[in-house]
Amino acid sequence: MKDQEQGKMIRADAIEQAANRIMSNAAIDIPEDYLSGIRAMIDTEKGDLSAFVLEAMLENWQAASEDRRPMCADSGLPRYYVKSGNEARLEGGFVELEHRLRRATAQATHDIPLRPNRVHPITRQDNNNNVGMNAPEIEYSFEPDADWIDITTVHKGGLFGSDYRMLFPGDGIDGIKRFFLDVLLAFGKRGLACQPAIVGVGLGGSKDTCMMLGKQAACLRTVGSNHPQAEVAKLEGELQELGNRTGLGAMGFKGTSTVVGCNIEVGYTHTGGMPMSVHCFCLSSRRATARLHGDGSVEYRTDPQWFTPYMRRNSVGWDGGAGAVAGAAE
Amino acid sequence: MGERADKLKQVRLQTPVSDEDIAALEIGSVVFLDGVIYTARERVYEKILNDGETPPVDFANLSNVNFHCAPAAACNDDGSYNVGAVTATASFRFAKYLKRWFAETGARVIIGKGGMSQKHYDELFVPAGAVYLTTVGYGTGALLGRGIKHVRAVNWLDELGIAQAMWILELENFGPLLVESDIHGNSLFERNNAEINERVESLYEGLKPPALRRFGETRDKTEELI
C-alpha cells in the first residue's frame, strides 16, 4: 500500500526538469495562438511601418526558434503559476517545489541565457540569477478531482503598459472604456507597451485582486479566448475593437494593430466601487506550461488553462461545474 | 525581410559612422550595421559623468555608436560570453546624461527604444550632429543577437552586473533598425504622434468622464479630485 502511494507521488527531480524546460520554451518559442493573431493583424494592417514591424517580428520568432535563442533580451521577470490538483502529492511537499522552481530559475538564467533582471529595488544589487527576495513569484490555484500539477512560467517584461484605477458603479461602461483608452494612449505612443499586446483587464475584487486578475487575464489566457459570461465576453470584443481604433499600430506608428486580444476577468467587489486594472502582454508574450502526473508522465503546452470553471465559481459549494458561472454563454 | 519592408529604403552602415553617412540618413529608412558598438545606460553614465571615473575605453578610437541595451547573456567558465538575444531599453530616461555624453565621447549615433522627445532632439541631438536609430518591434532580440559576431570586452561586469555593464560588441549586418531622427531633428515618432493625436478627441466622444478624477487630469495639487 505504501509503495503504491509513493508511485503516485510527483518527483521533485521531475518538477525541476520540467521547470527548466518551460523556462526555455517560454523564452524561445512564441505561443501559436499569439503568432496566429499577429499573422491575421498583418493582413489587415494598412500602415506600412506598422506592418513592417510585424513582419520583422515574424522573422525574429523564426530566428529565435531556429537558433534556440531568446526572442527578446528583456526576458522580463520570470515567474510561476502552479495549479495543483486536490489529489496531487508532491515529493517534499510545496517547500521542495518552491526550492526546485528557484533552482530552475537560476539554472535557466545561465543556460538559456536570460537576462538577470532581478535586482534589489534600492541597492540595485543583482544576484545574477533572477532569484531574490520575493522573486520569482509563485502563485497557486487548485483543481478538484485531479492528481496532476500544472506549472506555468510567464516571462513578462515591460516597464510600461499597466495601470490601476478606482472607478465607481455610476461611471459605468463609459468609465471602463475611457480608462482603457487612457492606458493605451499613455503607453502605446512610440510603442512603449510593445504592442500589439494581449490586453488583460481586471474588473472588481479588492485592489490587489483586481491587479492580479488583470495580469492573469493578460498572461494566462490565449488570443481568441472568451470569458464564459456573455456580458463580459461582449465587453472584451468592444474593448478590442476600441483599442484598434486609436490610430496606434505596432511601435506607435500609424495603424490598427494595438490589441491582438482583450481578456477580462472579474471578481466580486465592494458594492460602492468598480476597480479596474489594465495590463499589456507584449510582442514577446512568453508563457509555457507543463502538466506533471503522478505516473511520471509530463505534457507540455502553451495554453495555461488557468481559469477553470472551478476558479470562476459563483456558488458557495462546488457542484462539479453545472452552475459554474451564472448566465454563462455556451 | 517581408514584402512591406520592400517599400522602405534600406541602408548598410559601417561604424564608426562617418559624417557623410550620418547626414544622408532619412527618417523611416531601415539600417543594418557593421563594426563596433558599445552599450551604456544609467549606471555607466553615472560612473563616468557623475562619479568622474576614467572610461575603460578610448571612445574616439572605438566607436561613435552608443546602444541603450542590456543583453540576455551569460559568462562562461572559460571567460568567454554567451550572448543570446539583445534588445534596447527605453531611451527617454537617459536624456539628462546625453549633452555631456555627446561632448565627452564623440558619440553621434544612439540606438535605443522609443526615441526622444522633440525638445531633446532640438536641444541635444541637433547641436551634437547626432541621430537616433530605433530597434524594431521591441524587440527583434534574436535577429539582433545573430548580428553580434564577437564580444570584445565587458567592462565593470562584477560591479554593475550583466545588465548594466558596458559591453563592447563586434557586429555584422546588425539589424533591422529604423532611422527615428535625422541630423535636422526630424522624428518619425513625432510625425506619427501628430497624426494620431488628431483623432484622440473623437475617440472619447460620448463617453462621460468618471466621478473621481486623478492627479494628472489636474496638475494643481491643492485641488480636490471629487
Side-chain angles (χ1 to χ4, degrees):
Chain A
M1 182 66 190
K2 202 177 176 192
D3 283 352
Q4 266 183 337
E5 276 174 11
Q6 280 185 344
K8 288 184 181 172
M9 194 170 271
I10 297 167
R11 313 291 301 180
D13 283 347
I15 289 170
E16 186 170 340
Q17 203 178 4
N20 264 300
R21 176 140 164 212
I22 56 173
M23 286 290 281
S24 154
N25 289 355
I28 294 169
D29 299 309
I30 194 77
E32 189 56 42
D33 60 282
Y34 186 83
L35 180 63
S36 306
I38 295 301
R39 285 215 173 102
M41 285 191 119
I42 294 177
D43 292 340
T44 55
E45 178 57 87
K46 292 195 175 64
D48 280 337
L49 279 167
S50 178
F52 159 74
V53 172
L54 297 181
E55 283 184 346
M57 291 308 299
L58 290 183
E59 209 179 325
N60 182 64
W61 293 321
Q62 193 181 338
S65 286
E66 282 171 10
D67 295 3
R68 304 313 295 163
R69 63 169 86 228
M71 64 182 88
C72 182
D74 183 351
S75 41
L77 299 180
R79 62 188 294 156
Y80 297 95
Y81 295 89
V82 173
K83 188 186 286 295
S84 176
N86 197 41
E87 274 67 59
R89 289 167 63 247
L90 277 56
E91 182 191 5
F94 284 92
V95 168
E96 186 62 15
L97 170 94
E98 295 200 331
H99 172 219
R100 297 303 183 118
L101 294 184
R102 288 171 82 85
R103 246 181 30 185
T105 305
Q107 189 68 39
T109 297
H110 179 272
D111 289 353
I112 296 173
L114 305 177
R115 190 202 288 166
N117 270 337
R118 294 274 193 175
V119 299
H120 186 286
I122 294 169
T123 68
R124 314 308 292 180
Q125 186 268 333
D126 193 337
N127 288 335
N128 273 330
N129 60 8
N130 280 317
V131 176
M133 276 188 266
N134 289 303
E137 296 86 351
I138 306 174
E139 287 182 48
Y140 295 93
S141 68
F142 304 96
E143 190 64 15
D145 305 317
D147 64 356
W148 42 255
I149 55 165
D150 275 355
I151 304 173
T152 297
T153 187
V154 165
H155 302 178
K156 185 178 181 300
L159 310 174
F160 313 100
S162 304
D163 206 355
Y164 165 86
R165 183 166 191 160
M166 177 56 86
L167 297 167
F168 298 93
D171 295 332
I173 299 293
D174 277 5
I176 293 171
K177 288 184 173 170
R178 282 190 82 102
F179 184 52
F180 187 78
L181 284 172
D182 287 351
V183 176
L184 293 185
L185 287 171
F187 299 113
K189 295 270 181 74
R190 299 169 187 263
L192 292 183
C194 299
Q195 72 266 20
I198 305 175
V199 183
V201 174
L203 282 177
S206 51
K207 182 174 187 176
D208 56 337
T209 314
C210 180
M211 289 299 284
M212 183 189 74
L213 286 173
K215 178 144 189 167
Q216 292 181 355
C219 300
L220 300 177
R221 276 181 52 195
T222 56
V223 173
S225 67
N226 293 308
H227 193 278
Q229 194 166 20
E231 297 89 330
V232 180
K234 177 167 173 277
L235 187 57
E236 288 177 337
E238 287 174 11
L239 292 184
Q240 178 169 6
E241 190 271 331
L242 181 63
N244 287 330
R245 271 201 285 127
T246 57
L248 291 161
M251 280 180 81
F253 295 136
K254 211 176 140 190
T256 51
S257 307
T258 291
V259 185
V260 66
C262 176
N263 299 334
I264 303 175
E265 286 298 326
V266 299
Y268 274 43
T269 191
H270 192 290
T271 185
M274 188 172 66
M276 171 169 172
S277 72
V278 181
H279 308 253
C280 293
F281 203 20
C282 63
L283 270 166
S284 300
S285 279
R286 290 156 294 185
R287 56 171 138 76
T289 301
R291 175 167 292 182
L292 293 94
H293 298 272
D295 64 7
S297 63
V298 188
E299 294 139 18
Y300 294 92
R301 60 180 200 265
T302 55
D303 178 359
Q305 299 171 15
W306 178 255
F307 287 102
T308 59
Y310 175 74
M311 274 191 73
R312 291 185 179 125
R313 69 198 182 278
N314 195 21
S315 53
V316 175
W318 175 242
D319 55 10
V325 174
E330 293 299 337
Chain B
M1 305 289 283
E3 59 187 70
R4 300 296 185 104
D6 299 339
K7 298 190 179 182
L8 307 175
K9 187 175 172 183
Q10 298 205 20
V11 191
R12 193 153 169 177
L13 294 179
Q14 175 71 41
T15 72
V17 189
S18 69
D19 291 351
E20 298 74 42
D21 283 347
I22 289 174
L25 288 175
E26 299 168 35
I27 60 172
S29 295
V30 181
V31 174
F32 289 83
L33 281 179
D34 299 289
V36 176
I37 63 173
Y38 62 87
T39 71
R41 50 186 297 178
E42 60 266 50
R43 298 289 301 277
V44 167
Y45 290 145
E46 271 164 26
K47 278 182 86 70
I48 295 176
L49 298 177
N50 295 351
D51 305 345
E53 290 203 29
T54 309
V57 294
D58 175 14
F59 289 106
N61 287 316
L62 179 78
S63 179
N64 59 359
V65 183
N66 173 188
F67 190 11
H68 289 157
C69 158
C75 311
N76 299 325
D77 293 339
D78 64 3
S80 65
Y81 303 98
N82 176 15
V83 177
V86 285
T87 32
T89 193
S91 300
F92 72 89
R93 299 170 285 161
F94 311 135
K96 62 181 175 182
Y97 305 107
L98 287 183
K99 185 174 183 181
R100 284 182 58 203
W101 192 256
F102 287 142
E104 292 181 25
T105 68
R108 298 279 303 278
V109 178
I110 297 286
I111 303 173
K113 170 181 175 180
M116 313 297 279
S117 68
Q118 190 63 56
K119 179 171 177 283
H120 291 137
Y121 287 129
D122 293 341
E123 292 176 1
L124 305 171
F125 280 65
V126 174
V131 296
Y132 189 101
L133 306 179
T134 178
T135 52
V136 172
Y138 325 131
T140 51
L143 289 178
L144 296 180
R146 275 184 175 179
I148 293 175
K149 287 301 149 199
H150 182 61
V151 177
R152 186 181 287 185
V154 187
N155 298 286
W156 291 318
L157 180 62
D158 291 341
E159 193 181 340
L160 301 184
I162 284 170
Q164 293 278 346
M166 179 187 241
W167 294 69
I168 316 291
L169 306 170
E170 295 177 11
L171 314 177
E172 186 185 323
N173 206 27
F174 177 85
L177 308 167
L178 277 170
V179 182
E180 139 63 9
S181 82
D182 63 17
I183 52 163
H184 309 294
N186 295 307
S187 155
L188 196 57
F189 286 129
E190 292 282 353
R191 282 193 185 179
N192 276 268
N193 281 350
E195 284 191 61
I196 289 155
N197 285 345
E198 286 173 13
R199 307 169 49 166
V200 167
E201 209 178 299
S202 71
L203 278 174
Y204 285 86
E205 228 165 56
L207 301 174
K208 65 177 186 303
L212 180 70
R213 289 185 300 162
R214 304 204 296 184
F215 286 121
E217 290 167 350
T218 168
R219 290 186 182 186
D220 181 354
K221 304 289 187 195
T222 65
E223 218 181 306
E224 276 198 284
L225 299 177
I226 57 172

